[in-house]
Amino acid sequence: MSMSADTPADEQGIDPQLKARLRKAERFLKIRALLLVVPLMLFVLFTFVMPLAEMLYRSVHNPVLVEAMPEVARLMQEWDSQELPGEEIYAAVGKALVEARKEKTIGRIANRLNSEYSGMRSLLTGSARKLQRYKGDDYKNFMLQLDPDWGEAETWGAFKVLSSEYTLTHYLAAFDMQYDSKGKIVPQPEERQIYVDMLLKTLKLSLLVTVFCVLLGYPLAYYLSILPPSKSNLLMILVLLPFWTSLLVRTSSWIVMLQGQGVVNSVLLGLGVIGEPLDMMYNQIGTVVAMTHILLPFMILPTYSVMKSISPVYMRAARSLGATPAHAFMRVYFPQTVPGLSAGAILVFILSIGYYITPALVGGRTGQMISNLIAYHMQTSLNWGLGAALAGSLLVVVLVLYWIYNRLVGASQMKLG
Amino acid sequence: MSLPIHATALERVSYYGLRLFSALVLFFLIIPILVIIPLSFNAEPFFTFTEGMLRLEPEAYSLRWYRNIWESQEWMLSIKNSMIIGVCATLLAMTLGTLAALGLSQRHMPFKGAIMGLLISPMIVPVIISAASMYFFFTKVNLAQTYLGVIMAHAVLGIPFVIITVTATLVGFDDNLTKASASLGANPRTTFFKVTFPLIRPGVISGALFAFATSFDEVVVVLFVAGTDQRTIPREMWAGMREQLSPTILAVATLLIVLSVMLLLTVELLRRRSDRIRGVTE
């Protein structure tokens, strides 16, 4: 639309100055709305987004060799990975190792190289000690005599991988892959392939928990929705109380219930149902039972609130038109509950895929999930890059699911209690 | 709904089947909570009901595990820490979250969906990821192992709850009320405190209670970000459950259950009150 300030009035007879003032007023309202949100945005940015960004950066940032042996890193960048490196590189590595031993940075470099190719730690520390006294200038021959590993392609492959400051090695490792000595992506040796299995197990356990939550939650939500409000409000308390009860309280309760001499076993033994105690804890059963209990309210609440809003008239109409109860339920009632059902199921799946506390306490060795592995690398093995890459991969999965959830339900539609 | 008189046999069976099934699921939901309470009064250091307890002999019951809490310096410190961190994190989350919810519910707010998604994401991102990232970042900016660091981390985890509950009370908020107030000469400040806030107060309080419960129950962030000085109740429970399960934990758990009952009842009352004020009927 053409409009300029010098036209006194447009076709509709609206004063352009009035329009400008309206726009100005709306801009003011927009800015005011934004100003209300800005403090929280800054806070979330600082305490949540920046830490996450830094962790993702850590998963691809690979500074050890570049910082400690810049010259070696530079030369390795130029090396083409085809044949053994020349004298120049051997000399640079030899001198850098002696230097690193003096500066006491060798342990860090050796550890990092060792995570690329095992055996590097002893090769580096052992050679550095002997290189100290070497005064000649034929480093290549001397080092090859010191240890035949200096003639192995894998050794130099490890150096090559670490020579660039940014790398995907952690992500490759998180999916059981690595670079070979020629820089090609190949599967890890069989005994080091654990992460894909762990990811699949996490998905399997989360799926199981989700299925159990649907199977238990849907009929209960339906029953609650057809009760008169006075009764359903009362029974709802039984759903909301676990929802409000501390996660650790409920997990400890499941330990009490499921352990060898626990409540469930005692009852079953006392009733004569079983002859000896069942193994229900420190395995996948423990994880699935406890997590189903913990996440069930997240399934029931959205399903219930959708069912509550469905008028019974539709079912009556279907019945009066001759549909059998089962048919009416499947064709008329069920489709209307799908939004609540899918909201609850996706929420349960998202939450269970990242679960940490419950598997750590009741999962034993076999009931662990990917989060426990992330915690292990962050706290125990201190392989932070790998931990960050695992976390990054999990984050992607969760964010994709969250995006789907948002598309289907809308984050603002999330209901609590 | 009860069964009509003309219900067929099949309908009767499925209705009573549904009732039985629902009762079993409710039983599954509530039993772990009910089991803990009597066991916390066990006179013996066992996690199962003793013969004496089943026969209701008074000697089989005791308060010794509760005394243990009272007498233990670690537990008392953790209770104090949980209160300090919980209250501060709640105040922070409540203030920032309410302001943001007010902004988000305005018609003129740009990028509403994206901002909402971002602000709610701390609830969705697995807490192990948030905790590990906060650990590295907070170490860098000297917030690790400080009260302020734990409080900030807990506040950010509680914010989604405040946003969700306050936005819910603002849905259908009648803008004419603020306009009326303004036209009667009230400045924006007075309008907020005399008109807007009393109407959204139930949502703000239940959001705050959610945020408090989140902080009070949080352990992963504490494991990563807090030092020994900031050990909270869940942190002590976690240690106790990993090392050697002592019945003291059941006593603490029982106290936490009492607390959650109180929180639940308060939130329920607030929700009903809020619905009544806004004229929403069930």
Side-chain angles (χ1 to χ4, degrees), chain B residues 235-265:
Chain B
R235 177 68 182 78
E236 285 293 319
M237 287 185 77
W238 165 265
M241 281 157 81
R242 299 208 85 171
E243 285 142 27
Q244 44 163 71
L245 203 55
S246 137
T248 311
I249 288 175
L250 299 190
V252 176
T254 305
L255 295 179
L256 289 180
I257 291 171
V258 173
L259 183 73
S260 35
V261 170
M262 293 188 329
L263 286 175
L264 162 67
L265 292 180

PDB file of all heavy atoms in Angstrom, chain B residues 235-265:
ATOM      1  N   ARG B 235      20.751 -35.019  48.819  1.00  0.00           N
ATOM      2  CA  ARG B 235      22.151 -35.403  48.683  1.00  0.00           C
ATOM      3  C   ARG B 235      22.525 -36.396  49.789  1.00  0.00           C
ATOM      4  O   ARG B 235      23.217 -37.379  49.537  1.00  0.00           O
ATOM      5  CB  ARG B 235      23.026 -34.146  48.758  1.00  0.00           C
ATOM      6  CG  ARG B 235      24.512 -34.366  48.701  1.00  0.00           C
ATOM      7  CD  ARG B 235      24.942 -34.853  47.335  1.00  0.00           C
ATOM      8  NE  ARG B 235      26.374 -35.120  47.297  1.00  0.00           N
ATOM      9  CZ  ARG B 235      26.944 -36.201  47.800  1.00  0.00           C
ATOM     10  NH1 ARG B 235      26.198 -37.110  48.394  1.00  0.00           N
ATOM     11  NH2 ARG B 235      28.235 -36.381  47.720  1.00  0.00           N
ATOM     12  N   GLU B 236      22.041 -36.138  51.008  1.00  0.00           N
ATOM     13  CA  GLU B 236      22.307 -37.063  52.113  1.00  0.00           C
ATOM     14  C   GLU B 236      21.609 -38.396  51.872  1.00  0.00           C
ATOM     15  O   GLU B 236      22.162 -39.462  52.145  1.00  0.00           O
ATOM     16  CB  GLU B 236      21.812 -36.479  53.445  1.00  0.00           C
ATOM     17  CG  GLU B 236      22.686 -35.372  54.003  1.00  0.00           C
ATOM     18  CD  GLU B 236      24.056 -35.877  54.428  1.00  0.00           C
ATOM     19  OE1 GLU B 236      24.147 -36.968  55.026  1.00  0.00           O
ATOM     20  OE2 GLU B 236      25.051 -35.186  54.137  1.00  0.00           O
ATOM     21  N   MET B 237      20.366 -38.319  51.365  1.00  0.00           N
ATOM     22  CA  MET B 237      19.637 -39.562  51.096  1.00  0.00           C
ATOM     23  C   MET B 237      20.348 -40.380  50.034  1.00  0.00           C
ATOM     24  O   MET B 237      20.474 -41.603  50.138  1.00  0.00           O
ATOM     25  CB  MET B 237      18.210 -39.263  50.626  1.00  0.00           C
ATOM     26  CG  MET B 237      17.303 -38.773  51.710  1.00  0.00           C
ATOM     27  SD  MET B 237      15.619 -38.588  51.104  1.00  0.00           S
ATOM     28  CE  MET B 237      15.044 -40.263  51.077  1.00  0.00           C
ATOM     29  N   TRP B 238      20.796 -39.703  48.997  1.00  0.00           N
ATOM     30  CA  TRP B 238      21.517 -40.364  47.910  1.00  0.00           C
ATOM     31  C   TRP B 238      22.739 -41.098  48.468  1.00  0.00           C
ATOM     32  O   TRP B 238      22.958 -42.273  48.179  1.00  0.00           O
ATOM     33  CB  TRP B 238      21.908 -39.306  46.882  1.00  0.00           C
ATOM     34  CG  TRP B 238      22.939 -39.690  45.884  1.00  0.00           C
ATOM     35  CD1 TRP B 238      24.278 -39.462  45.966  1.00  0.00           C
ATOM     36  CD2 TRP B 238      22.731 -40.353  44.629  1.00  0.00           C
ATOM     37  NE1 TRP B 238      24.907 -39.940  44.849  1.00  0.00           N
ATOM     38  CE2 TRP B 238      23.984 -40.495  44.012  1.00  0.00           C
ATOM     39  CE3 TRP B 238      21.605 -40.844  43.974  1.00  0.00           C
ATOM     40  CZ2 TRP B 238      24.153 -41.089  42.772  1.00  0.00           C
ATOM     41  CZ3 TRP B 238      21.772 -41.453  42.741  1.00  0.00           C
ATOM     42  CH2 TRP B 238      23.022 -41.569  42.148  1.00  0.00           C
ATOM     43  N   ALA B 239      23.513 -40.395  49.287  1.00  0.00           N
ATOM     44  CA  ALA B 239      24.703 -41.016  49.873  1.00  0.00           C
ATOM     45  C   ALA B 239      24.300 -42.219  50.711  1.00  0.00           C
ATOM     46  O   ALA B 239      24.888 -43.290  50.611  1.00  0.00           O
ATOM     47  CB  ALA B 239      25.468 -39.992  50.708  1.00  0.00           C
ATOM     48  N   GLY B 240      23.248 -42.035  51.527  1.00  0.00           N
ATOM     49  CA  GLY B 240      22.803 -43.117  52.389  1.00  0.00           C
ATOM     50  C   GLY B 240      22.311 -44.327  51.617  1.00  0.00           C
ATOM     51  O   GLY B 240      22.513 -45.467  52.030  1.00  0.00           O
ATOM     52  N   MET B 241      21.682 -44.072  50.450  1.00  0.00           N
ATOM     53  CA  MET B 241      21.145 -45.188  49.684  1.00  0.00           C
ATOM     54  C   MET B 241      22.233 -45.910  48.909  1.00  0.00           C
ATOM     55  O   MET B 241      22.104 -47.080  48.584  1.00  0.00           O
ATOM     56  CB  MET B 241      20.068 -44.694  48.720  1.00  0.00           C
ATOM     57  CG  MET B 241      18.746 -44.451  49.417  1.00  0.00           C
ATOM     58  SD  MET B 241      17.718 -43.309  48.516  1.00  0.00           S
ATOM     59  CE  MET B 241      17.030 -44.371  47.297  1.00  0.00           C
ATOM     60  N   ARG B 242      23.307 -45.219  48.576  1.00  0.00           N
ATOM     61  CA  ARG B 242      24.378 -45.871  47.826  1.00  0.00           C
ATOM     62  C   ARG B 242      25.308 -46.631  48.767  1.00  0.00           C
ATOM     63  O   ARG B 242      25.793 -47.690  48.427  1.00  0.00           O
ATOM     64  CB  ARG B 242      25.211 -44.835  47.070  1.00  0.00           C
ATOM     65  CG  ARG B 242      24.407 -44.058  46.086  1.00  0.00           C
ATOM     66  CD  ARG B 242      25.273 -43.607  44.963  1.00  0.00           C
ATOM     67  NE  ARG B 242      25.348 -44.687  43.992  1.00  0.00           N
ATOM     68  CZ  ARG B 242      25.899 -44.555  42.788  1.00  0.00           C
ATOM     69  NH1 ARG B 242      26.444 -43.454  42.424  1.00  0.00           N
ATOM     70  NH2 ARG B 242      25.911 -45.548  41.948  1.00  0.00           N
ATOM     71  N   GLU B 243      25.572 -46.052  49.942  1.00  0.00           N
ATOM     72  CA  GLU B 243      26.534 -46.681  50.827  1.00  0.00           C
ATOM     73  C   GLU B 243      25.860 -47.805  51.606  1.00  0.00           C
ATOM     74  O   GLU B 243      25.987 -48.956  51.293  1.00  0.00           O
ATOM     75  CB  GLU B 243      27.201 -45.633  51.717  1.00  0.00           C
ATOM     76  CG  GLU B 243      28.221 -44.819  50.918  1.00  0.00           C
ATOM     77  CD  GLU B 243      28.256 -43.355  51.297  1.00  0.00           C
ATOM     78  OE1 GLU B 243      27.916 -43.027  52.452  1.00  0.00           O
ATOM     79  OE2 GLU B 243      28.613 -42.525  50.433  1.00  0.00           O
ATOM     80  N   GLN B 244      25.123 -47.440  52.635  1.00  0.00           N
ATOM     81  CA  GLN B 244      24.427 -48.488  53.367  1.00  0.00           C
ATOM     82  C   GLN B 244      23.074 -47.945  53.752  1.00  0.00           C
ATOM     83  O   GLN B 244      22.962 -46.913  54.397  1.00  0.00           O
ATOM     84  CB  GLN B 244      25.207 -48.880  54.599  1.00  0.00           C
ATOM     85  CG  GLN B 244      25.723 -47.658  55.328  1.00  0.00           C
ATOM     86  CD  GLN B 244      26.122 -47.963  56.723  1.00  0.00           C
ATOM     87  OE1 GLN B 244      27.066 -48.591  56.938  1.00  0.00           O
ATOM     88  NE2 GLN B 244      25.405 -47.515  57.706  1.00  0.00           N
ATOM     89  N   LEU B 245      22.058 -48.675  53.337  1.00  0.00           N
ATOM     90  CA  LEU B 245      20.702 -48.215  53.556  1.00  0.00           C
ATOM     91  C   LEU B 245      20.407 -48.267  55.049  1.00  0.00           C
ATOM     92  O   LEU B 245      20.395 -49.343  55.647  1.00  0.00           O
ATOM     93  CB  LEU B 245      19.762 -49.121  52.772  1.00  0.00           C
ATOM     94  CG  LEU B 245      18.409 -48.550  52.422  1.00  0.00           C
ATOM     95  CD1 LEU B 245      18.558 -47.244  51.684  1.00  0.00           C
ATOM     96  CD2 LEU B 245      17.656 -49.538  51.569  1.00  0.00           C
ATOM     97  N   SER B 246      20.203 -47.102  55.659  1.00  0.00           N
ATOM     98  CA  SER B 246      19.861 -47.091  57.074  1.00  0.00           C
ATOM     99  C   SER B 246      18.397 -46.689  57.208  1.00  0.00           C
ATOM    100  O   SER B 246      17.905 -45.889  56.429  1.00  0.00           O
ATOM    101  CB  SER B 246      20.752 -46.100  57.811  1.00  0.00           C
ATOM    102  OG  SER B 246      19.996 -45.344  58.725  1.00  0.00           O
ATOM    103  N   PRO B 247      17.704 -47.229  58.188  1.00  0.00           N
ATOM    104  CA  PRO B 247      16.289 -46.872  58.350  1.00  0.00           C
ATOM    105  C   PRO B 247      16.076 -45.385  58.610  1.00  0.00           C
ATOM    106  O   PRO B 247      14.965 -44.890  58.447  1.00  0.00           O
ATOM    107  CB  PRO B 247      15.847 -47.690  59.554  1.00  0.00           C
ATOM    108  CG  PRO B 247      16.832 -48.794  59.652  1.00  0.00           C
ATOM    109  CD  PRO B 247      18.124 -48.243  59.150  1.00  0.00           C
ATOM    110  N   THR B 248      17.146 -44.678  58.976  1.00  0.00           N
ATOM    111  CA  THR B 248      17.003 -43.227  59.135  1.00  0.00           C
ATOM    112  C   THR B 248      16.449 -42.613  57.855  1.00  0.00           C
ATOM    113  O   THR B 248      15.651 -41.673  57.903  1.00  0.00           O
ATOM    114  CB  THR B 248      18.371 -42.602  59.444  1.00  0.00           C
ATOM    115  OG1 THR B 248      18.980 -43.346  60.494  1.00  0.00           O
ATOM    116  CG2 THR B 248      18.223 -41.165  59.864  1.00  0.00           C
ATOM    117  N   ILE B 249      16.858 -43.189  56.716  1.00  0.00           N
ATOM    118  CA  ILE B 249      16.371 -42.670  55.438  1.00  0.00           C
ATOM    119  C   ILE B 249      14.849 -42.787  55.349  1.00  0.00           C
ATOM    120  O   ILE B 249      14.177 -41.896  54.835  1.00  0.00           O
ATOM    121  CB  ILE B 249      17.051 -43.422  54.287  1.00  0.00           C
ATOM    122  CG1 ILE B 249      18.497 -42.962  54.220  1.00  0.00           C
ATOM    123  CG2 ILE B 249      16.341 -43.192  52.970  1.00  0.00           C
ATOM    124  CD1 ILE B 249      19.304 -43.686  53.221  1.00  0.00           C
ATOM    125  N   LEU B 250      14.312 -43.893  55.898  1.00  0.00           N
ATOM    126  CA  LEU B 250      12.850 -44.050  55.856  1.00  0.00           C
ATOM    127  C   LEU B 250      12.171 -43.001  56.727  1.00  0.00           C
ATOM    128  O   LEU B 250      11.086 -42.503  56.391  1.00  0.00           O
ATOM    129  CB  LEU B 250      12.454 -45.454  56.288  1.00  0.00           C
ATOM    130  CG  LEU B 250      12.992 -46.592  55.440  1.00  0.00           C
ATOM    131  CD1 LEU B 250      12.337 -47.897  55.825  1.00  0.00           C
ATOM    132  CD2 LEU B 250      12.776 -46.319  53.964  1.00  0.00           C
ATOM    133  N   ALA B 251      12.814 -42.652  57.837  1.00  0.00           N
ATOM    134  CA  ALA B 251      12.245 -41.607  58.693  1.00  0.00           C
ATOM    135  C   ALA B 251      12.252 -40.269  57.953  1.00  0.00           C
ATOM    136  O   ALA B 251      11.247 -39.535  57.955  1.00  0.00           O
ATOM    137  CB  ALA B 251      13.041 -41.511  59.990  1.00  0.00           C
ATOM    138  N   VAL B 252      13.368 -39.966  57.291  1.00  0.00           N
ATOM    139  CA  VAL B 252      13.432 -38.724  56.503  1.00  0.00           C
ATOM    140  C   VAL B 252      12.367 -38.773  55.410  1.00  0.00           C
ATOM    141  O   VAL B 252      11.646 -37.795  55.180  1.00  0.00           O
ATOM    142  CB  VAL B 252      14.829 -38.553  55.873  1.00  0.00           C
ATOM    143  CG1 VAL B 252      14.860 -37.325  54.985  1.00  0.00           C
ATOM    144  CG2 VAL B 252      15.887 -38.453  56.939  1.00  0.00           C
ATOM    145  N   ALA B 253      12.268 -39.936  54.745  1.00  0.00           N
ATOM    146  CA  ALA B 253      11.290 -40.081  53.666  1.00  0.00           C
ATOM    147  C   ALA B 253       9.881 -39.807  54.178  1.00  0.00           C
ATOM    148  O   ALA B 253       9.086 -39.142  53.514  1.00  0.00           O
ATOM    149  CB  ALA B 253      11.385 -41.471  53.057  1.00  0.00           C
ATOM    150  N   THR B 254       9.571 -40.320  55.380  1.00  0.00           N
ATOM    151  CA  THR B 254       8.241 -40.096  55.933  1.00  0.00           C
ATOM    152  C   THR B 254       7.988 -38.600  56.156  1.00  0.00           C
ATOM    153  O   THR B 254       6.907 -38.094  55.838  1.00  0.00           O
ATOM    154  CB  THR B 254       8.081 -40.868  57.247  1.00  0.00           C
ATOM    155  OG1 THR B 254       8.383 -42.237  56.991  1.00  0.00           O
ATOM    156  CG2 THR B 254       6.682 -40.754  57.785  1.00  0.00           C
ATOM    157  N   LEU B 255       8.998 -37.917  56.669  1.00  0.00           N
ATOM    158  CA  LEU B 255       8.837 -36.475  56.869  1.00  0.00           C
ATOM    159  C   LEU B 255       8.607 -35.783  55.515  1.00  0.00           C
ATOM    160  O   LEU B 255       7.776 -34.866  55.407  1.00  0.00           O
ATOM    161  CB  LEU B 255      10.075 -35.891  57.549  1.00  0.00           C
ATOM    162  CG  LEU B 255      10.321 -36.383  58.982  1.00  0.00           C
ATOM    163  CD1 LEU B 255      11.576 -35.756  59.548  1.00  0.00           C
ATOM    164  CD2 LEU B 255       9.122 -36.041  59.866  1.00  0.00           C
ATOM    165  N   LEU B 256       9.326 -36.243  54.497  1.00  0.00           N
ATOM    166  CA  LEU B 256       9.144 -35.635  53.170  1.00  0.00           C
ATOM    167  C   LEU B 256       7.746 -35.920  52.626  1.00  0.00           C
ATOM    168  O   LEU B 256       7.159 -35.082  51.934  1.00  0.00           O
ATOM    169  CB  LEU B 256      10.196 -36.152  52.194  1.00  0.00           C
ATOM    170  CG  LEU B 256      11.627 -35.666  52.431  1.00  0.00           C
ATOM    171  CD1 LEU B 256      12.568 -36.249  51.390  1.00  0.00           C
ATOM    172  CD2 LEU B 256      11.697 -34.142  52.381  1.00  0.00           C
ATOM    173  N   ILE B 257       7.216 -37.115  52.940  1.00  0.00           N
ATOM    174  CA  ILE B 257       5.857 -37.432  52.485  1.00  0.00           C
ATOM    175  C   ILE B 257       4.856 -36.477  53.133  1.00  0.00           C
ATOM    176  O   ILE B 257       3.963 -35.942  52.469  1.00  0.00           O
ATOM    177  CB  ILE B 257       5.505 -38.895  52.805  1.00  0.00           C
ATOM    178  CG1 ILE B 257       6.342 -39.835  51.932  1.00  0.00           C
ATOM    179  CG2 ILE B 257       4.014 -39.162  52.575  1.00  0.00           C
ATOM    180  CD1 ILE B 257       6.232 -41.288  52.303  1.00  0.00           C
ATOM    181  N   VAL B 258       5.039 -36.232  54.432  1.00  0.00           N
ATOM    182  CA  VAL B 258       4.150 -35.287  55.121  1.00  0.00           C
ATOM    183  C   VAL B 258       4.220 -33.925  54.435  1.00  0.00           C
ATOM    184  O   VAL B 258       3.197 -33.284  54.168  1.00  0.00           O
ATOM    185  CB  VAL B 258       4.546 -35.170  56.611  1.00  0.00           C
ATOM    186  CG1 VAL B 258       3.738 -34.076  57.286  1.00  0.00           C
ATOM    187  CG2 VAL B 258       4.338 -36.505  57.313  1.00  0.00           C
ATOM    188  N   LEU B 259       5.443 -33.513  54.103  1.00  0.00           N
ATOM    189  CA  LEU B 259       5.618 -32.228  53.431  1.00  0.00           C
ATOM    190  C   LEU B 259       4.896 -32.215  52.079  1.00  0.00           C
ATOM    191  O   LEU B 259       4.221 -31.243  51.737  1.00  0.00           O
ATOM    192  CB  LEU B 259       7.113 -31.957  53.230  1.00  0.00           C
ATOM    193  CG  LEU B 259       7.456 -30.621  52.595  1.00  0.00           C
ATOM    194  CD1 LEU B 259       7.240 -29.498  53.587  1.00  0.00           C
ATOM    195  CD2 LEU B 259       8.884 -30.608  52.084  1.00  0.00           C
ATOM    196  N   SER B 260       5.002 -33.341  51.335  1.00  0.00           N
ATOM    197  CA  SER B 260       4.354 -33.325  50.012  1.00  0.00           C
ATOM    198  C   SER B 260       2.835 -33.331  50.141  1.00  0.00           C
ATOM    199  O   SER B 260       2.158 -32.728  49.301  1.00  0.00           O
ATOM    200  CB  SER B 260       4.843 -34.454  49.113  1.00  0.00           C
ATOM    201  OG  SER B 260       5.103 -35.603  49.828  1.00  0.00           O
ATOM    202  N   VAL B 261       2.311 -33.981  51.168  1.00  0.00           N
ATOM    203  CA  VAL B 261       0.856 -33.929  51.381  1.00  0.00           C
ATOM    204  C   VAL B 261       0.426 -32.481  51.601  1.00  0.00           C
ATOM    205  O   VAL B 261      -0.544 -32.003  51.007  1.00  0.00           O
ATOM    206  CB  VAL B 261       0.438 -34.810  52.571  1.00  0.00           C
ATOM    207  CG1 VAL B 261      -1.022 -34.565  52.926  1.00  0.00           C
ATOM    208  CG2 VAL B 261       0.663 -36.272  52.255  1.00  0.00           C
ATOM    209  N   MET B 262       1.215 -31.771  52.412  1.00  0.00           N
ATOM    210  CA  MET B 262       0.857 -30.373  52.686  1.00  0.00           C
ATOM    211  C   MET B 262       0.934 -29.527  51.415  1.00  0.00           C
ATOM    212  O   MET B 262       0.046 -28.724  51.128  1.00  0.00           O
ATOM    213  CB  MET B 262       1.763 -29.796  53.769  1.00  0.00           C
ATOM    214  CG  MET B 262       1.516 -30.471  55.105  1.00  0.00           C
ATOM    215  SD  MET B 262       2.350 -29.766  56.539  1.00  0.00           S
ATOM    216  CE  MET B 262       3.832 -29.090  55.941  1.00  0.00           C
ATOM    217  N   LEU B 263       2.014 -29.735  50.640  1.00  0.00           N
ATOM    218  CA  LEU B 263       2.149 -28.975  49.396  1.00  0.00           C
ATOM    219  C   LEU B 263       0.996 -29.274  48.449  1.00  0.00           C
ATOM    220  O   LEU B 263       0.397 -28.372  47.863  1.00  0.00           O
ATOM    221  CB  LEU B 263       3.478 -29.339  48.710  1.00  0.00           C
ATOM    222  CG  LEU B 263       4.743 -28.773  49.324  1.00  0.00           C
ATOM    223  CD1 LEU B 263       5.980 -29.315  48.622  1.00  0.00           C
ATOM    224  CD2 LEU B 263       4.747 -27.252  49.226  1.00  0.00           C
ATOM    225  N   LEU B 264       0.672 -30.576  48.332  1.00  0.00           N
ATOM    226  CA  LEU B 264      -0.406 -30.983  47.422  1.00  0.00           C
ATOM    227  C   LEU B 264      -1.729 -30.340  47.808  1.00  0.00           C
ATOM    228  O   LEU B 264      -2.426 -29.772  46.960  1.00  0.00           O
ATOM    229  CB  LEU B 264      -0.521 -32.508  47.438  1.00  0.00           C
ATOM    230  CG  LEU B 264      -1.833 -33.089  46.914  1.00  0.00           C
ATOM    231  CD1 LEU B 264      -1.976 -32.829  45.436  1.00  0.00           C
ATOM    232  CD2 LEU B 264      -1.899 -34.581  47.173  1.00  0.00           C
ATOM    233  N   LEU B 265      -2.053 -30.395  49.101  1.00  0.00           N
ATOM    234  CA  LEU B 265      -3.329 -29.825  49.533  1.00  0.00           C
ATOM    235  C   LEU B 265      -3.374 -28.326  49.277  1.00  0.00           C
ATOM    236  O   LEU B 265      -4.381 -27.796  48.807  1.00  0.00           O
ATOM    237  CB  LEU B 265      -3.562 -30.134  51.009  1.00  0.00           C
ATOM    238  CG  LEU B 265      -3.810 -31.618  51.300  1.00  0.00           C
ATOM    239  CD1 LEU B 265      -4.023 -31.842  52.786  1.00  0.00           C
ATOM    240  CD2 LEU B 265      -5.009 -32.127  50.507  1.00  0.00           C
TER     241      LEU B 265
END
